[in-house]
């Protein structure tokens, strides 16, 4: 396993270290676990396509690009309200 140096603000490092410690992990172990659980944009797109294909097959759900944009905007709005963004 190779090491990598990542430059981030000290506050961010301290926050990540505190989160890791609360879970009983070292910062290194926490970041490795985090990297394994996050999806790349390509992986997210692939999962979205598979989900859409499954919905299309199951119940004929096939939104137009315009409908998808409207649904994405609504989801962004609701997430923004919950996260305060």
């Amino acid at each position: 396993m190779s090491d990598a140096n990542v430059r981030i603000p000290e506050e961010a490092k301290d926050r990540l270290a505190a989160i890791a410690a609360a879970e009983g992990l070292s910062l290194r172990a926490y970041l490795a676990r985090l990297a394994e659980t996050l999806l790349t944009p390509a992986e997210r797109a692939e999962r979205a396509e598979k989900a859409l294909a499954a919905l299309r097959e199951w119940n004929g759900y096939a939104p137009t690009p315009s409908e998808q944009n409207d649904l994405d905007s609504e989801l962004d709005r609701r997430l923004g309200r919950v996260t305060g963004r």
Side-chain angles (χ1 to χ4, degrees):
M1 176 184 334
S2 65
D3 284 339
N5 291 320
V6 179
R7 296 178 60 87
I8 62 173
E10 189 73 25
E11 298 82 20
K13 180 192 138 307
D14 292 344
R15 180 175 172 79
L16 289 168
I19 293 167
E23 295 189 26
L25 298 169
S26 68
L27 181 54
R28 174 192 292 232
Y30 179 76
L31 291 174
R33 186 179 75 181
L34 184 63
E36 290 173 3
T37 62
L38 295 176
L39 299 175
T40 66
E43 290 167 334
R44 282 194 307 273
E46 181 182 351
R47 283 193 182 185
E49 278 300 315
K50 286 181 179 179
L52 189 55
L55 285 170
R56 192 177 303 117
E57 183 179 323
W58 176 58
N59 67 3
Y61 180 73
T64 65
S66 176
E67 290 169 329
Q68 279 188 294
N69 285 337
D70 290 345
L71 292 168
D72 287 345
S73 294
E74 177 63 13
L75 180 59
D76 289 343
R77 184 187 70 77
R78 289 182 185 199
L79 288 172
R81 208 170 70 209
V82 171
T83 61
R85 293 182 185 167

